[in-house]
Amino acid sequence: PYTEPGQHIRRTQLYMYALAQRLQPSEKYGNFLNKRMITMIYKSAPLHDIGKFGLPYRILLKPGRLAPDEFEEIKKHTIYGRDTIIAAEKELETPEPFLAIARDIAYCHHEKWDGTGYPSGISGEAIPLPARMMAIADVYDALISKRVYKAAMTHDEAVDVIMKGKGTHFCPEIIDM
């Protein structure tokens, strides 16, 4: 069976926890990243790709490079994820704060610091902090993981790619910590 998505979910959840712990002592993020918020981010992180359930397997499991129309379809997982979480929130009698964080992560984890990401093209601090964190965790895990369409990079190679994305793809302050 194809188990990689489950492993990716668990790894990114652990990366998010470690990253939150790393950022917590900082003057800028310390008040936001209190113990309760770190727990909610940890609980929310596994939902970052929930929108992929709305995508066809022929695209998700394609062994080669995606065609432009297929990539446009993949990008919709951020919208599907947000909408799925909104629907779940509407079903609850009592709001679950972690779902609001999960919604932000699912919708915004492919936004880029310079505004060239998707789905909305927002930039900088307009991207919610947990989504900026997931952008790093998600890309790192994608780079170090073997996929049907690519070989895995080493840790050092992945870190080099992420460092090159500082200030364009990724929040520079998070990268510097």
Side-chain angles (χ1 to χ4, degrees):
Y2 183 58
T3 60
E4 176 51 32
Q7 295 166 358
H8 170 72
I9 287 167
R10 182 66 176 140
R11 287 189 303 265
T12 54
Q13 180 183 38
L14 294 172
Y15 300 151
M16 288 288 281
Y17 183 78
L19 190 51
Q21 291 287 333
R22 176 77 176 186
L23 295 174
Q24 196 285 324
S26 76
E27 188 174 312
K28 182 166 187 171
Y29 301 119
N31 288 335
F32 178 76
L33 291 172
N34 57 46
K35 186 176 180 177
R36 181 173 182 269
M37 181 56 70
I38 291 172
T39 299
M40 286 193 294
I41 289 170
Y42 178 80
K43 288 170 73 173
S44 301
L47 298 175
H48 77 279
D49 276 341
I50 194 168
K52 286 187 176 177
F53 285 104
L55 300 174
Y57 284 126
R58 68 176 171 75
I59 294 175
L60 286 174
L61 301 177
K62 185 175 179 178
R65 181 176 284 288
L66 295 175
D69 63 313
E70 293 169 326
F71 184 62
E72 289 304 312
E73 188 65 28
I74 284 283
K75 289 174 16 176
K76 293 178 184 174
H77 84 278
T78 58
I79 297 164
Y80 299 156
R82 177 204 59 196
D83 293 351
T84 298
I85 295 168
I86 288 171
E89 289 175 305
K90 288 179 181 176
E91 293 293 320
L92 298 174
E93 291 179 21
T94 306
E96 288 289 340
F98 89 94
L99 286 177
I101 295 164
R103 181 178 6 98
D104 284 345
I105 292 172
Y107 187 60
C108 297
H109 72 284
H110 285 288
E111 297 290 359
K112 294 183 180 179
W113 186 255
D114 66 3
T116 62
Y118 63 88
S120 297
I122 59 175
S123 64
E125 293 194 4
I127 305 166
L129 177 60
R132 284 183 265 152
M133 293 164 57
M134 181 56 80
I136 297 165
D138 194 39
V139 168
Y140 175 78
D141 192 66
L143 292 172
I144 66 159
S145 299
K146 182 179 185 271
R147 300 284 170 88
V148 293
Y149 52 87
K150 68 163 202 73
M153 285 186 179
T154 67
H155 166 77
D156 289 340
E157 290 169 329
V159 168
D160 187 53
V161 168
I162 289 170
M163 293 302 286
K164 287 177 181 169
K166 174 184 162 183
T168 55
H169 190 153
F170 307 112
C171 173
E173 292 170 334
I174 295 175
I175 298 299
D176 285 343
M177 290 186 189

Short mmCIF file of all heavy atoms in Angstrom, two decimals, residues 25-74:
data_model
loop_
_atom_site.label_atom_id
_atom_site.label_comp_id
_atom_site.label_asym_id
_atom_site.label_seq_id
_atom_site.Cartn_x
_atom_site.Cartn_y
_atom_site.Cartn_z
N PRO A 25 11.21 31.08 22.23
CA PRO A 25 11.96 32.03 23.06
C PRO A 25 12.18 33.41 22.42
O PRO A 25 12.62 34.33 23.10
CB PRO A 25 13.31 31.34 23.29
CG PRO A 25 13.12 29.93 22.93
CD PRO A 25 12.01 29.89 21.91
N SER A 26 11.89 33.54 21.14
CA SER A 26 12.18 34.81 20.47
C SER A 26 11.27 35.92 20.97
O SER A 26 10.12 35.70 21.36
CB SER A 26 12.02 34.66 18.95
OG SER A 26 10.66 34.63 18.59
N GLU A 27 11.79 37.13 20.94
CA GLU A 27 11.02 38.29 21.37
C GLU A 27 9.80 38.50 20.47
O GLU A 27 8.72 38.84 20.94
CB GLU A 27 11.93 39.53 21.33
CG GLU A 27 11.30 40.75 21.94
CD GLU A 27 12.28 41.90 22.02
OE1 GLU A 27 13.42 41.69 22.49
OE2 GLU A 27 11.90 43.01 21.60
N LYS A 28 9.96 38.28 19.18
CA LYS A 28 8.87 38.53 18.24
C LYS A 28 7.74 37.51 18.33
O LYS A 28 6.57 37.87 18.23
CB LYS A 28 9.41 38.56 16.81
CG LYS A 28 8.33 38.87 15.80
CD LYS A 28 8.89 39.23 14.47
CE LYS A 28 7.77 39.69 13.55
NZ LYS A 28 8.28 40.24 12.32
N TYR A 29 8.07 36.24 18.49
CA TYR A 29 7.05 35.19 18.42
C TYR A 29 6.70 34.57 19.76
O TYR A 29 5.74 33.80 19.86
CB TYR A 29 7.51 34.09 17.46
CG TYR A 29 7.77 34.58 16.07
CD1 TYR A 29 9.03 34.47 15.49
CD2 TYR A 29 6.75 35.18 15.32
CE1 TYR A 29 9.26 34.93 14.19
CE2 TYR A 29 6.98 35.64 14.03
CZ TYR A 29 8.23 35.50 13.47
OH TYR A 29 8.47 35.97 12.20
N GLY A 30 7.45 34.90 20.80
CA GLY A 30 7.28 34.26 22.10
C GLY A 30 5.89 34.39 22.70
O GLY A 30 5.36 33.43 23.25
N ASN A 31 5.28 35.57 22.62
CA ASN A 31 3.95 35.74 23.19
C ASN A 31 2.91 34.91 22.46
O ASN A 31 2.00 34.35 23.06
CB ASN A 31 3.52 37.21 23.20
CG ASN A 31 4.29 38.01 24.22
OD1 ASN A 31 4.79 37.47 25.21
ND2 ASN A 31 4.42 39.30 23.97
N PHE A 32 3.02 34.84 21.14
CA PHE A 32 2.08 34.06 20.34
C PHE A 32 2.29 32.56 20.56
O PHE A 32 1.33 31.81 20.71
CB PHE A 32 2.23 34.40 18.85
CG PHE A 32 1.35 33.60 17.95
CD1 PHE A 32 -0.01 33.88 17.87
CD2 PHE A 32 1.86 32.57 17.18
CE1 PHE A 32 -0.85 33.14 17.03
CE2 PHE A 32 1.04 31.84 16.34
CZ PHE A 32 -0.32 32.12 16.27
N LEU A 33 3.56 32.14 20.58
CA LEU A 33 3.86 30.72 20.68
C LEU A 33 3.96 30.26 22.13
O LEU A 33 4.96 29.71 22.57
CB LEU A 33 5.14 30.40 19.91
CG LEU A 33 5.03 30.51 18.39
CD1 LEU A 33 6.39 30.37 17.74
CD2 LEU A 33 4.05 29.48 17.84
N ASN A 34 2.87 30.46 22.86
CA ASN A 34 2.82 29.94 24.23
C ASN A 34 2.54 28.43 24.17
O ASN A 34 2.32 27.87 23.08
CB ASN A 34 1.77 30.69 25.05
CG ASN A 34 0.39 30.62 24.42
OD1 ASN A 34 -0.08 29.56 24.00
ND2 ASN A 34 -0.29 31.75 24.35
N LYS A 35 2.54 27.79 25.31
CA LYS A 35 2.38 26.33 25.36
C LYS A 35 1.08 25.88 24.70
O LYS A 35 1.05 24.90 23.94
CB LYS A 35 2.44 25.86 26.81
CG LYS A 35 2.42 24.36 26.96
CD LYS A 35 2.58 23.95 28.41
CE LYS A 35 2.57 22.44 28.51
NZ LYS A 35 2.77 21.97 29.87
N ARG A 36 0.00 26.61 24.94
CA ARG A 36 -1.30 26.25 24.37
C ARG A 36 -1.27 26.37 22.85
O ARG A 36 -1.78 25.51 22.13
CB ARG A 36 -2.39 27.15 24.97
CG ARG A 36 -3.79 26.84 24.46
CD ARG A 36 -4.84 27.67 25.25
NE ARG A 36 -6.17 27.37 24.81
CZ ARG A 36 -6.82 28.03 23.85
NH1 ARG A 36 -6.24 29.06 23.26
NH2 ARG A 36 -8.04 27.67 23.50
N MET A 37 -0.69 27.44 22.33
CA MET A 37 -0.62 27.64 20.89
C MET A 37 0.26 26.57 20.24
O MET A 37 -0.08 26.05 19.17
CB MET A 37 -0.10 29.03 20.56
CG MET A 37 -0.02 29.31 19.07
SD MET A 37 -1.57 29.08 18.16
CE MET A 37 -2.51 30.46 18.78
N ILE A 38 1.36 26.23 20.85
CA ILE A 38 2.23 25.19 20.30
C ILE A 38 1.47 23.87 20.23
O ILE A 38 1.55 23.15 19.23
CB ILE A 38 3.54 25.07 21.10
CG1 ILE A 38 4.40 26.32 20.87
CG2 ILE A 38 4.31 23.81 20.72
CD1 ILE A 38 5.62 26.43 21.76
N THR A 39 0.68 23.56 21.25
CA THR A 39 -0.13 22.34 21.23
C THR A 39 -1.16 22.40 20.11
O THR A 39 -1.37 21.41 19.39
CB THR A 39 -0.83 22.15 22.59
OG1 THR A 39 0.17 22.01 23.60
CG2 THR A 39 -1.75 20.93 22.59
N MET A 40 -1.79 23.55 19.91
CA MET A 40 -2.78 23.66 18.84
C MET A 40 -2.13 23.55 17.46
O MET A 40 -2.69 22.94 16.55
CB MET A 40 -3.57 24.96 18.97
CG MET A 40 -4.57 24.91 20.12
SD MET A 40 -5.76 26.25 20.08
CE MET A 40 -4.73 27.67 20.36
N ILE A 41 -0.95 24.12 17.29
CA ILE A 41 -0.23 24.00 16.03
C ILE A 41 0.11 22.53 15.78
O ILE A 41 -0.06 22.03 14.66
CB ILE A 41 1.02 24.90 16.01
CG1 ILE A 41 0.61 26.37 15.92
CG2 ILE A 41 1.96 24.52 14.87
CD1 ILE A 41 1.74 27.35 16.13
N TYR A 42 0.57 21.85 16.81
CA TYR A 42 0.90 20.43 16.70
C TYR A 42 -0.33 19.62 16.29
O TYR A 42 -0.25 18.75 15.41
CB TYR A 42 1.47 19.95 18.04
CG TYR A 42 1.81 18.48 18.07
CD1 TYR A 42 3.00 18.01 17.51
CD2 TYR A 42 0.97 17.56 18.68
CE1 TYR A 42 3.32 16.67 17.54
CE2 TYR A 42 1.29 16.22 18.73
CZ TYR A 42 2.46 15.78 18.15
OH TYR A 42 2.79 14.44 18.18
N LYS A 43 -1.47 19.91 16.89
CA LYS A 43 -2.71 19.20 16.57
C LYS A 43 -3.22 19.55 15.18
O LYS A 43 -3.85 18.73 14.51
CB LYS A 43 -3.79 19.52 17.60
CG LYS A 43 -3.55 18.89 18.96
CD LYS A 43 -4.49 19.43 20.01
CE LYS A 43 -5.89 18.91 19.84
NZ LYS A 43 -6.77 19.32 20.97
N SER A 44 -2.96 20.77 14.72
CA SER A 44 -3.45 21.25 13.44
C SER A 44 -2.61 20.79 12.26
O SER A 44 -3.13 20.61 11.15
CB SER A 44 -3.47 22.78 13.43
OG SER A 44 -4.28 23.29 14.44
N ALA A 45 -1.34 20.63 12.47
CA ALA A 45 -0.40 20.35 11.38
C ALA A 45 -0.80 19.16 10.49
O ALA A 45 -0.66 19.26 9.26
CB ALA A 45 1.01 20.15 11.93
N PRO A 46 -1.31 18.06 11.04
CA PRO A 46 -1.66 16.94 10.16
C PRO A 46 -2.74 17.24 9.13
O PRO A 46 -2.91 16.49 8.17
CB PRO A 46 -2.13 15.86 11.13
CG PRO A 46 -1.46 16.19 12.42
CD PRO A 46 -1.43 17.69 12.44
N LEU A 47 -3.47 18.33 9.31
CA LEU A 47 -4.54 18.67 8.38
C LEU A 47 -4.07 19.54 7.21
O LEU A 47 -4.88 19.92 6.36
CB LEU A 47 -5.68 19.37 9.13
CG LEU A 47 -6.36 18.53 10.21
CD1 LEU A 47 -7.39 19.35 10.97
CD2 LEU A 47 -6.99 17.28 9.61
N HIS A 48 -2.79 19.83 7.13
CA HIS A 48 -2.32 20.77 6.12
C HIS A 48 -2.63 20.34 4.68
O HIS A 48 -2.87 21.17 3.83
CB HIS A 48 -0.83 21.10 6.29
CG HIS A 48 0.12 20.06 5.81
ND1 HIS A 48 0.43 18.93 6.55
CD2 HIS A 48 0.83 19.98 4.66
CE1 HIS A 48 1.30 18.21 5.88
NE2 HIS A 48 1.56 18.81 4.73
N ASP A 49 -2.65 19.06 4.42
CA ASP A 49 -2.92 18.57 3.07
C ASP A 49 -4.26 17.86 2.95
O ASP A 49 -4.47 17.10 2.01
CB ASP A 49 -1.80 17.63 2.61
CG ASP A 49 -0.59 18.36 2.03
OD1 ASP A 49 -0.72 19.54 1.65
OD2 ASP A 49 0.48 17.73 1.95
N ILE A 50 -5.18 18.10 3.87
CA ILE A 50 -6.47 17.42 3.82
C ILE A 50 -7.19 17.66 2.49
O ILE A 50 -7.94 16.80 2.02
CB ILE A 50 -7.35 17.80 5.03
CG1 ILE A 50 -8.53 16.83 5.13
CG2 ILE A 50 -7.78 19.26 4.96
CD1 ILE A 50 -9.29 16.95 6.43
N GLY A 51 -6.95 18.77 1.88
CA GLY A 51 -7.58 19.08 0.60
C GLY A 51 -7.15 18.16 -0.53
O GLY A 51 -7.82 18.09 -1.57
N LYS A 52 -6.06 17.42 -0.36
CA LYS A 52 -5.62 16.50 -1.41
C LYS A 52 -6.61 15.35 -1.59
O LYS A 52 -6.60 14.69 -2.63
CB LYS A 52 -4.20 15.99 -1.13
CG LYS A 52 -3.16 17.05 -1.40
CD LYS A 52 -1.76 16.52 -1.31
CE LYS A 52 -0.76 17.62 -1.70
NZ LYS A 52 0.62 17.17 -1.55
N PHE A 53 -7.47 15.13 -0.60
CA PHE A 53 -8.49 14.09 -0.76
C PHE A 53 -9.48 14.46 -1.87
O PHE A 53 -10.18 13.60 -2.38
CB PHE A 53 -9.24 13.84 0.56
CG PHE A 53 -8.44 13.07 1.55
CD1 PHE A 53 -7.86 13.72 2.63
CD2 PHE A 53 -8.23 11.71 1.40
CE1 PHE A 53 -7.10 13.02 3.55
CE2 PHE A 53 -7.47 10.99 2.30
CZ PHE A 53 -6.90 11.64 3.39
N GLY A 54 -9.52 15.71 -2.25
CA GLY A 54 -10.39 16.15 -3.33
C GLY A 54 -9.76 16.06 -4.71
O GLY A 54 -10.39 16.44 -5.70
N LEU A 55 -8.53 15.56 -4.78
CA LEU A 55 -7.81 15.49 -6.06
C LEU A 55 -7.84 14.08 -6.63
O LEU A 55 -7.85 13.10 -5.89
CB LEU A 55 -6.36 15.93 -5.86
CG LEU A 55 -6.16 17.35 -5.34
CD1 LEU A 55 -4.68 17.59 -5.06
CD2 LEU A 55 -6.70 18.36 -6.33
N PRO A 56 -7.79 13.96 -7.95
CA PRO A 56 -7.77 12.64 -8.57
C PRO A 56 -6.46 11.91 -8.31
O PRO A 56 -5.38 12.51 -8.35
CB PRO A 56 -7.95 12.92 -10.06
CG PRO A 56 -8.08 14.39 -10.22
CD PRO A 56 -7.85 15.05 -8.91
N TYR A 57 -6.56 10.59 -8.08
CA TYR A 57 -5.35 9.78 -7.85
C TYR A 57 -4.41 9.83 -9.05
O TYR A 57 -3.20 9.77 -8.88
CB TYR A 57 -5.72 8.32 -7.56
CG TYR A 57 -6.26 8.09 -6.19
CD1 TYR A 57 -7.48 7.46 -6.00
CD2 TYR A 57 -5.55 8.49 -5.06
CE1 TYR A 57 -7.99 7.25 -4.73
CE2 TYR A 57 -6.04 8.29 -3.79
CZ TYR A 57 -7.26 7.66 -3.64
OH TYR A 57 -7.76 7.45 -2.39
N ARG A 58 -4.95 9.94 -10.26
CA ARG A 58 -4.09 9.96 -11.45
C ARG A 58 -3.10 11.11 -11.40
O ARG A 58 -1.99 11.02 -11.94
CB ARG A 58 -4.92 10.00 -12.73
CG ARG A 58 -5.66 11.29 -12.93
CD ARG A 58 -6.42 11.36 -14.26
NE ARG A 58 -7.27 12.52 -14.28
CZ ARG A 58 -6.84 13.77 -14.44
NH1 ARG A 58 -5.57 14.00 -14.62
NH2 ARG A 58 -7.70 14.78 -14.44
N ILE A 59 -3.48 12.19 -10.70
CA ILE A 59 -2.57 13.33 -10.56
C ILE A 59 -1.68 13.14 -9.33
O ILE A 59 -0.46 13.32 -9.40
CB ILE A 59 -3.36 14.66 -10.46
CG1 ILE A 59 -4.06 14.94 -11.79
CG2 ILE A 59 -2.42 15.81 -10.09
CD1 ILE A 59 -4.95 16.16 -11.77
N LEU A 60 -2.28 12.73 -8.22
CA LEU A 60 -1.50 12.57 -6.98
C LEU A 60 -0.39 11.54 -7.11
O LEU A 60 0.66 11.69 -6.51
CB LEU A 60 -2.43 12.17 -5.82
CG LEU A 60 -3.31 13.27 -5.26
CD1 LEU A 60 -4.26 12.68 -4.22
CD2 LEU A 60 -2.49 14.38 -4.65
N LEU A 61 -0.65 10.48 -7.87
CA LEU A 61 0.31 9.38 -7.96
C LEU A 61 1.07 9.35 -9.29
O LEU A 61 1.74 8.38 -9.60
CB LEU A 61 -0.42 8.04 -7.75
CG LEU A 61 -1.15 7.90 -6.41
CD1 LEU A 61 -1.88 6.58 -6.33
CD2 LEU A 61 -0.18 8.04 -5.25
N LYS A 62 0.97 10.42 -10.04
CA LYS A 62 1.64 10.46 -11.33
C LYS A 62 3.15 10.35 -11.14
O LYS A 62 3.75 11.09 -10.36
CB LYS A 62 1.30 11.77 -12.05
CG LYS A 62 1.86 11.83 -13.46
CD LYS A 62 1.41 13.08 -14.19
CE LYS A 62 2.02 13.11 -15.58
NZ LYS A 62 1.55 14.29 -16.33
N PRO A 63 3.79 9.41 -11.87
CA PRO A 63 5.23 9.22 -11.67
C PRO A 63 6.12 10.27 -12.31
O PRO A 63 7.27 10.40 -11.95
CB PRO A 63 5.47 7.84 -12.31
CG PRO A 63 4.36 7.65 -13.26
CD PRO A 63 3.19 8.43 -12.74
N GLY A 64 5.61 11.05 -13.23
CA GLY A 64 6.44 12.05 -13.90
C GLY A 64 6.02 13.46 -13.55
O GLY A 64 5.21 13.70 -12.66
N ARG A 65 6.59 14.40 -14.27
CA ARG A 65 6.29 15.82 -14.09
C ARG A 65 4.83 16.09 -14.45
O ARG A 65 4.30 15.53 -15.39
CB ARG A 65 7.22 16.66 -14.96
CG ARG A 65 7.02 18.14 -14.81
CD ARG A 65 8.02 18.96 -15.61
NE ARG A 65 9.34 19.03 -15.04
CZ ARG A 65 9.66 19.74 -13.95
NH1 ARG A 65 8.74 20.39 -13.28
NH2 ARG A 65 10.89 19.76 -13.52
N LEU A 66 4.20 16.96 -13.65
CA LEU A 66 2.81 17.32 -13.90
C LEU A 66 2.71 18.27 -15.10
O LEU A 66 3.54 19.15 -15.27
CB LEU A 66 2.21 18.01 -12.68
CG LEU A 66 2.07 17.18 -11.41
CD1 LEU A 66 1.57 18.05 -10.27
CD2 LEU A 66 1.15 15.99 -11.62
N ALA A 67 1.67 18.07 -15.89
CA ALA A 67 1.35 19.01 -16.96
C ALA A 67 0.82 20.28 -16.31
O ALA A 67 0.35 20.26 -15.17
CB ALA A 67 0.29 18.40 -17.88
N PRO A 68 0.87 21.42 -17.00
CA PRO A 68 0.38 22.67 -16.41
C PRO A 68 -1.04 22.59 -15.87
O PRO A 68 -1.32 23.11 -14.79
CB PRO A 68 0.50 23.68 -17.57
CG PRO A 68 1.61 23.15 -18.41
CD PRO A 68 1.48 21.65 -18.34
N ASP A 69 -1.95 21.93 -16.58
CA ASP A 69 -3.32 21.82 -16.08
C ASP A 69 -3.40 20.93 -14.84
O ASP A 69 -4.22 21.17 -13.96
CB ASP A 69 -4.27 21.30 -17.18
CG ASP A 69 -3.93 19.90 -17.65
OD1 ASP A 69 -2.75 19.62 -17.92
OD2 ASP A 69 -4.87 19.08 -17.78
N GLU A 70 -2.54 19.92 -14.76
CA GLU A 70 -2.50 19.07 -13.58
C GLU A 70 -1.97 19.84 -12.37
O GLU A 70 -2.46 19.68 -11.25
CB GLU A 70 -1.63 17.83 -13.83
CG GLU A 70 -2.23 16.89 -14.86
CD GLU A 70 -1.25 15.82 -15.31
OE1 GLU A 70 -0.02 16.09 -15.38
OE2 GLU A 70 -1.71 14.72 -15.61
N PHE A 71 -0.95 20.68 -12.59
CA PHE A 71 -0.43 21.49 -11.49
C PHE A 71 -1.48 22.48 -11.01
O PHE A 71 -1.61 22.72 -9.80
CB PHE A 71 0.86 22.22 -11.89
CG PHE A 71 1.48 22.98 -10.75
CD1 PHE A 71 1.92 22.31 -9.61
CD2 PHE A 71 1.60 24.36 -10.80
CE1 PHE A 71 2.48 23.02 -8.55
CE2 PHE A 71 2.15 25.07 -9.74
CZ PHE A 71 2.59 24.39 -8.61
N GLU A 72 -2.25 23.05 -11.92
CA GLU A 72 -3.34 23.95 -11.52
C GLU A 72 -4.35 23.20 -10.65
O GLU A 72 -4.88 23.76 -9.69
CB GLU A 72 -4.02 24.57 -12.74
CG GLU A 72 -3.17 25.60 -13.46
CD GLU A 72 -2.71 26.75 -12.54
OE1 GLU A 72 -3.55 27.31 -11.81
OE2 GLU A 72 -1.51 27.06 -12.55
N GLU A 73 -4.60 21.95 -10.96
CA GLU A 73 -5.52 21.14 -10.16
C GLU A 73 -4.92 20.86 -8.78
O GLU A 73 -5.60 20.96 -7.77
CB GLU A 73 -5.85 19.83 -10.89
CG GLU A 73 -6.92 19.01 -10.23
CD GLU A 73 -8.30 19.67 -10.20
OE1 GLU A 73 -8.61 20.47 -11.09
OE2 GLU A 73 -9.06 19.36 -9.27
N ILE A 74 -3.64 20.52 -8.72
CA ILE A 74 -2.96 20.28 -7.45
C ILE A 74 -3.07 21.51 -6.55
O ILE A 74 -3.30 21.40 -5.35
CB ILE A 74 -1.46 19.93 -7.66
CG1 ILE A 74 -1.30 18.50 -8.16
CG2 ILE A 74 -0.64 20.14 -6.40
CD1 ILE A 74 -1.44 17.42 -7.13
#
